Amino acid sequence: MKHFYIHLYRFIALLFVFGISLFLFKDDIPDATVGTTTTTSLQDSTFPVIHLKLGKFIVNTMHGYSSELDSGNIRESITPLDTTKTITVNISENALKIKKLDFKLYDLLNNKVLETNSLTAFDTDENYKIIKIKLSEILDTSTEYGLQITLTTNLSKKINFYTRVKYYESDFFLKEKLEFVENFHQATFDGGKSFDIINYLEPNAGDDSTFADVNINSSYQLITWGKLNPKILTNVVPVIKELNIETAAVEQKYYVQAKTSTGTETYFIKEFYRIRYSGNRMYLLNFKRTMEALFNPEFISIKKNELKIGISNATSLEILSSDKNRKFAFVRNGSLWYYNMPDNKLHKVFSYENKKNDLQNLETANFGEHDIKLLKLGNDGTISFLVYGYINSGDYEGRVGIVLYDYIPEDNRILERVYIPLSTTFEQLKQDLGEFCYVNNKNIFYFSLNDVVYAYNISSKRYELLTEDAAKDNFVMLKEAKCFVWSNAANSKYANNITILNLDTANSLVVSSKKKQSIIVLGTIDSNIVYGYVKNKDIYESTGGEIVRPAYKLVISDCDGNILREYKNKNIYVIGATVDNNVIRLTRVKKVNGKFKPTANDDIMNQKTSKKPSINITTRVTEKALTEKYISTGYMLKQKPSVDATEYIMVADNTTLHLKNTGSNSEKYYVYAYGGITASMANPSEAIQLADEQMGVVMDNKSHIVWERGGKYISKELSNITYPSNSPSSIKSCTNMLLQAAQQTISINELEGQSIISMLSKYLEQPVNLTGCTLDEVLYFVSNEKPVIGMLNNSHAVLITAYTSSTVTWMDPATMHSKTMPLANAENMFKNAGYVFVSYISN
């Protein structure tokens, strides 16, 4: 018995030691010890869909989110409110039963809840469960608020929906605007019989060869569908994207079918209208219609060895090939396809479409708020790919995230490897997710999100940050060479090294600068890196606050650090480099009397000749469908392939990766136009210029509306700004006066810094460099109670404080008097001075 207890105690002690060891060293245990794997089917979407009813109009289709998002970041729709402050909510329940509706009204500017309520008294009709929301809060007119609607199911599941609301005491002419959109849309299908649209168009001699991208400048024949004669399949619901008393932006999405030379095809259509109602007359400011054919395997051409893409805006598809181009994967309409040509098998690897393929599925499963990135295709057909955006079905339905999958062709199964949940929208995510992601054979997943670059070890479930400021011109990625390159300049204007990381081997190479010098990453060409060396004493700050790093020498090297070419000219410095095909275009300056002056630009030719891929996009033109696109396989196809679809996803335990902070450390500016985000930029001036061109809106990553086309008042005058006394310069005087307007009491002697931006940054949360914007564009800031500093030359600053429809007024510290002049004259003065402007977004 004694020996029994001795052995028992030893066993317990060993078990204890094993438990402690498992806890301490669990991250070092290889992935073979990861827990069980479960199998789940690719399910249909179950969430309800909401539409809002305003008067006689059904508007603003809304899809539900499983998690709560920041209302200020969601610009999917805006809902105008009249003096009744009442919204009728129509709910298509889908597979769920709704028992309760809660709503929250948000003050977006101050990020606080103004009103909440819970409602349970639903009405029903054939299509909807119906309930009315009536707001009681006092609202400021023409001000955006956030509205979150939460539906609770009979199983206590909560689903959140978001729109913005805007209140008007006077008529905002919604009926007239929506009727115009409805009439114009109908007239495009009946050849203008129901409504004369010719006078609203602005046709020019542009491209009339495709239905893929039609706009207000297209011909009447193209806008009215030529000989295609499509038939509408689904409901056409207007979604109000922007609204002011005079102007509105409206988007409509729907599906059509048409008979072409290859058979009956289905197309996804997106229409965008920007209109203005003034003086009892409607103006069409912009019209844009895009068209995308849905991929159909039946339309594969054996004779020409091609897969038909059809009518499409795609200039290139997401395509990967392997096994000497005999196998390839491609993405189309949010679905992933894999073609094994020797076996003549075509697999639909991943799709949110269900088997029924009915009209309801077209409207719900093809929500269109996700996309796919191909990462790797092996010779055995194994595919690594990302699905990112709104997850339309399955365990993560209603969430926005990134999922890394592997497709295993021998089992026709998908393996889920990493799931990253995010609190954002697909529109923002597609701008924030880096262009190139990669997973190597060592189970390391590389990706960049919101200008932070990650390396995640899937086996140990640990991640590290490679760099935290990839937007500051210090990070590039080379897809073909499979490497990332970054400098250590994230928190400083100086960088003494760059790191070149081989993603396949995880080996890194560091290139360093000499003492008292910096090294900067300028870009890439082919599979090579362009970087430059800068003397720290030459780095300076422009008047607008931009850090300028004049490089005295440029280097082109490969990812192994081998120098392929150097570029250096005496007393000539490079401040910017862009790549255009095989040419590096250099922006240069020359040092004159210790100061840098612009000089002639230069080009560096690259000798590498690009090989045309054997699998590529070709086009054909037919009488009815005009230009259509095809994937040319370069492989002899003997007969149409057999087609199947993946039905199951295998999910290993603990695939979820929670990132601690996915917000960007630096300012980012999103351009909203044509119904979505068209670009994101680190430079606010470039964002405003693009938004002006696209008749859109600029928002930053802090939910501020930075700029809005047509959003300024006809006239504005700011007052109670006084000149400082004993000022050493007009620049400091204007900086002081702008701070006055922002309620910052700072004496002129306290202002320190090389530039206006550096002086303002000490006292304002978000000063903004508007250099490059026109005078008309920066007057938006004056309209919003924020004066603008403008430079008349390199040293003479003025403060713009007022404008009318024909004049502009500024305060001039050099004369201590205000000056008013015609807008056109003032525009020329600021243009000749380089359009240098500074203001602020928030204080």
Side-chain angles (χ1 to χ4, degrees):
M1 183 66 73
K2 179 179 177 182
H3 291 294
F4 171 80
Y5 283 114
I6 291 172
H7 289 303
L8 179 63
Y9 295 150
R10 283 177 178 173
F11 175 77
I12 293 172
L14 287 170
L15 194 64
F16 178 78
V17 171
F18 175 77
I20 293 295
S21 300
L22 189 65
F23 176 79
L24 292 176
F25 302 109
K26 65 179 186 293
D27 289 332
D28 298 320
I29 298 173
D31 63 339
T33 63
V34 172
T36 59
T37 297
T38 59
T39 302
T40 181
S41 63
L42 284 166
Q43 305 156 25
D44 297 340
S45 54
T46 63
F47 275 20
V49 176
I50 282 179
H51 298 88
L52 303 181
K53 189 174 183 182
L54 301 174
K56 68 174 185 177
F57 296 100
I58 300 293
V59 300
N60 292 0
T61 305
M62 298 160 63
H63 293 261
Y65 294 88
S66 296
S67 55
E68 289 198 51
L69 305 181
D70 182 353
S71 292
N73 287 334
I74 303 178
R75 299 188 68 80
E76 292 177 356
S77 66
I78 189 164
T79 304
L81 299 175
D82 59 18
T83 52
T84 67
K85 299 181 189 173
T86 301
I87 305 168
T88 300
V89 181
N90 291 351
I91 305 165
S92 300
E93 288 187 288
N94 202 355
L96 302 177
K97 298 298 179 185
I98 304 304
K99 295 300 181 183
K100 186 175 68 166
L101 180 150
D102 296 280
F103 70 84
K104 293 179 184 176
L105 181 69
Y106 286 93
D107 177 349
L108 297 179
L109 188 62
N110 299 303
N111 193 29
K112 67 178 182 180
V113 177
L114 298 176
E115 182 179 349
T116 63
N117 205 346
S118 184
L119 308 171
T120 56
F122 293 95
D123 294 324
T124 58
D125 66 10
E126 292 182 3
N127 302 309
Y128 300 117
K129 216 165 197 176
I130 303 167
I131 199 164
K132 289 187 177 182
I133 293 175
K134 183 173 177 59
L135 301 176
S136 58
E137 182 71 19
I138 297 174
L139 303 178
D140 294 332
T141 188
S142 193
T143 299
E144 289 188 9
Y145 297 87
L147 181 65
Q148 175 181 323
I149 297 171
T150 301
L151 301 182
T152 303
T153 72
N154 58 336
L155 299 176
S156 299
K157 183 176 182 61
K158 294 183 183 297
I159 305 168
N160 303 298
F161 301 79
Y162 298 88
T163 185
R164 293 165 290 140
V165 296
K166 212 171 189 181
Y167 171 71
Y168 290 100
E169 292 182 346
S170 58
D171 192 354
F172 45 88
F173 307 110
L174 181 67
K175 175 177 175 292
E176 291 81 356
K177 293 166 185 172
L178 292 182
E179 282 181 348
F180 175 85
V181 169
E182 183 179 54
N183 292 336
F184 190 100
H185 164 81
Q186 181 59 38
T188 65
F189 284 90
D190 64 22
K193 295 176 183 176
S194 61
F195 182 70
D196 185 7
I197 64 175
I198 290 181
N199 292 332
Y200 296 99
L201 305 178
E202 301 172 11
N204 59 27
D207 183 11
D208 240 13
S209 65
T210 178
F211 288 115
D213 191 356
V214 176
N215 57 56
I216 195 172
N217 302 124
S218 300
S219 68
Y220 177 79
Q221 288 74 22
L222 210 62
I223 287 176
T224 54
W225 302 100
K227 296 180 180 180
L228 192 60
N229 193 28
K231 306 299 181 187
I232 297 176
L233 293 178
T234 54
N235 295 320
V236 182
V237 179
V239 176
I240 306 166
K241 293 291 185 175
E242 306 294 340
L243 184 79
N244 293 299
I245 289 180
E246 285 196 348
T247 61
V250 178
E251 179 186 72
Q252 298 185 146
K253 297 178 181 178
Y254 55 96
Y255 288 84
V256 301
Q257 274 187 348
K259 290 183 178 180
T260 69
S261 58
T262 48
T264 301
E265 298 194 52
T266 304
Y267 302 91
F268 174 63
I269 312 298
K270 186 188 293 186
E271 289 178 351
F272 177 80
Y273 300 81
R274 188 174 178 86
I275 49 183
R276 179 162 66 92
Y277 185 75
S278 178
N280 295 321
R281 183 184 168 189
M282 191 67 68
Y283 300 86
L284 181 62
L285 304 178
N286 201 0
F287 171 73
K288 184 178 177 68
R289 185 180 71 211
T290 59
M291 185 175 191
E292 294 290 335
L294 301 192
F295 176 70
N296 189 337
E298 287 297 315
F299 300 144
I300 291 177
S301 171
I302 302 302
K303 185 177 180 181
K304 292 183 178 290
N305 306 313
E306 293 176 338
L307 281 68
K308 185 173 185 180
I309 297 301
I311 297 170
S312 175
N313 284 285
T315 54
S316 62
L317 291 180
E318 187 90 3
I319 298 177
L320 278 183
S321 63
S322 69
D323 195 15
K324 298 180 181 179
N325 294 319
R326 299 189 304 167
K327 300 170 183 174
F328 69 96
F330 65 97
V331 177
R332 184 69 185 142
N333 313 120
S335 298
L336 171 58
W337 296 82
Y338 165 63
Y339 196 1
N340 184 327
M341 291 185 284
D343 291 349
N344 204 29
K345 291 182 179 179
L346 180 64
H347 304 266
K348 184 189 277 190
V349 173
F350 183 93
S351 179
Y352 285 133
E353 299 173 6
N354 63 18
K355 295 178 183 177
K356 292 181 290 186
N357 200 27
D358 54 20
L359 296 185
Q360 182 183 2
N361 178 56
L362 282 177
E363 293 184 293
T364 55
N366 290 333
F367 178 29
E369 291 293 295
H370 77 280
D371 209 344
I372 296 173
K373 280 183 183 287
L374 295 175
L375 275 57
K376 193 166 58 174
L377 173 60
N379 285 334
D380 62 352
T382 301
I383 307 170
S384 295
F385 65 99
L386 286 188
V387 178
Y388 65 98
Y390 182 89
I391 300 173
N392 219 62
S393 63
D395 294 340
Y396 308 136
E397 182 176 1
R399 293 190 176 274
V400 175
I402 301 168
V403 192
L404 172 64
Y405 292 114
D406 277 352
Y407 170 64
I408 317 298
E410 61 183 359
D411 301 324
N412 195 22
R413 294 288 185 269
I414 295 172
L415 173 64
E416 180 184 305
R417 302 190 67 191
V418 181
Y419 163 57
I420 307 173
L422 299 167
S423 297
T424 185
T425 65
F426 169 64
E427 287 290 334
Q428 285 195 342
L429 178 56
K430 70 181 179 180
Q431 300 294 330
D432 295 340
L433 183 64
E435 293 179 9
F436 178 50
C437 308
Y438 193 70
V439 59
N440 66 17
N441 292 331
K442 295 186 175 185
N443 266 352
I444 301 176
F445 174 36
Y446 297 98
F447 63 98
S448 59
L449 183 64
N450 239 329
D451 304 327
V452 178
V453 185
Y454 300 86
Y456 177 55
N457 189 314
I458 300 172
S459 300
S460 67
K461 302 193 182 303
R462 288 179 174 176
Y463 70 85
E464 63 174 311
L465 308 184
L466 302 182
T467 179
E468 297 186 61
D469 207 355
K472 290 287 188 181
D473 297 327
N474 70 331
F475 176 81
V476 295
M477 52 186 73
L478 293 91
K479 189 171 184 179
E480 287 186 17
K482 299 183 180 66
C483 75
F484 286 169
V485 184
W486 68 93
S487 77
N488 61 342
N491 299 310
S492 169
K493 63 183 179 182
Y494 304 118
N496 54 21
N497 66 61
I498 62 172
T499 302
I500 304 171
L501 176 69
N502 184 311
L503 303 184
D504 265 333
T505 64
N507 294 331
S508 60
L509 170 71
V510 176
V511 181
S512 300
S513 62
K514 295 178 182 178
K515 192 176 181 181
K516 296 184 179 179
Q517 291 191 14
S518 293
I519 186 169
I520 57 171
V521 180
L522 289 164
T524 67
I525 185 163
D526 294 322
S527 297
N528 302 317
I529 313 149
V530 183
Y531 60 89
Y533 290 100
V534 182
K535 295 175 182 175
N536 289 344
K537 65 179 183 180
D538 289 336
I539 298 175
Y540 65 95
E541 198 172 348
S542 69
T543 305
E546 181 186 2
I547 303 295
V548 183
R549 301 177 177 90
Y552 68 88
K553 182 171 75 171
L554 251 61
V555 173
I556 301 175
S557 96
D558 62 21
C559 284
D560 294 321
N562 300 311
I563 295 176
L564 307 177
R565 183 169 179 179
E566 292 187 351
Y567 176 92
K568 185 177 181 180
N569 287 315
K570 188 177 180 181
N571 210 31
I572 299 292
Y573 301 80
V574 176
I575 60 172
T578 58
V579 175
D580 183 9
N581 292 321
N582 280 347
V583 179
I584 306 174
R585 306 198 183 280
L586 306 177
T587 304
R588 308 188 306 169
V589 292
K590 187 174 184 177
K591 189 181 278 189
V592 179
N593 297 326
K595 292 188 177 181
F596 291 99
K597 305 288 184 183
T599 191
N601 295 337
D602 197 7
D603 296 336
I604 299 177
M605 297 294 296
N606 187 45
Q607 301 302 318
K608 183 176 178 181
T609 56
S610 55
K611 257 176 74 175
K612 186 178 180 181
S614 58
I615 300 174
N616 55 54
I617 303 295
T618 61
T619 61
R620 294 191 222 161
V621 178
T622 62
E623 185 179 6
K624 287 183 71 174
L626 303 181
T627 302
E628 297 180 292
K629 297 181 178 179
Y630 292 78
I631 298 177
S632 178
T633 66
Y635 187 89
M636 187 67 69
L637 304 177
K638 296 179 181 179
Q639 61 184 20
K640 289 189 178 181
S642 62
V643 181
D644 65 8
T646 307
E647 295 185 8
Y648 299 102
I649 296 176
M650 295 182 290
V651 184
D653 285 348
N654 302 320
T655 62
T656 302
L657 166 60
H658 291 286
L659 299 177
K660 291 180 181 177
N661 181 15
T662 57
S664 175
N665 294 326
S666 56
E667 280 84 23
K668 198 167 189 179
Y669 301 89
Y670 299 95
V671 178
Y672 288 79
Y674 309 132
I677 300 179
T678 59
S680 67
M681 299 171 176
N683 187 319
S685 171
E686 291 177 3
I688 290 169
Q689 291 171 72
L690 181 60
D692 197 2
E693 178 187 328
Q694 297 180 344
M695 299 188 179
V697 175
V698 177
M699 277 193 69
D700 67 9
N701 54 342
K702 299 184 178 90
S703 304
H704 299 125
I705 296 177
V706 175
W707 190 90
E708 182 179 2
R709 171 74 180 259
K712 74 175 191 286
Y713 295 109
I714 295 173
S715 62
K716 190 73 175 184
E717 182 177 0
L718 308 182
S719 57
N720 299 323
I721 302 173
T722 59
Y723 292 101
S725 58
N726 302 320
S727 173
S729 71
S730 61
I731 291 175
K732 280 201 168 183
S733 291
C734 288
T735 304
N736 178 270
M737 291 190 290
L738 187 142
L739 287 169
Q740 281 184 47
Q743 281 95 44
Q744 300 291 328
T745 307
I746 309 297
S747 76
I748 202 160
N749 295 326
E750 293 178 82
L751 297 176
E752 294 180 353
Q754 294 182 355
S755 68
I756 298 171
I757 289 288
S758 61
M759 287 188 283
L760 291 175
S761 296
K762 292 180 173 65
Y763 309 102
L764 298 181
E765 180 186 340
Q766 206 171 341
V768 61
N769 183 358
L770 302 173
T771 297
C773 291
T774 65
L775 175 60
D776 181 66
E777 288 165 348
V778 302
L779 290 179
Y780 175 88
F781 289 83
V782 180
S783 176
N784 282 270
E785 305 285 338
K786 300 177 180 75
V788 175
I789 298 173
M791 300 300 296
L792 297 180
N793 57 46
N794 288 338
S795 59
H796 188 178
V798 295
L799 189 72
I800 304 170
T801 57
Y803 66 89
T804 67
S805 58
S806 59
T807 66
V808 63
T809 301
W810 60 70
M811 298 174 67
D812 189 345
T815 63
M816 302 288 280
H817 289 94
S818 294
K819 184 169 187 176
T820 299
M821 67 186 316
L823 266 173
N825 294 357
E827 187 80 56
N828 282 332
M829 287 183 68
F830 288 114
K831 181 179 180 180
N832 293 335
Y835 278 143
V836 179
F837 299 108
V838 174
S839 187
Y840 66 97
I841 295 169
S842 61
N843 57 353

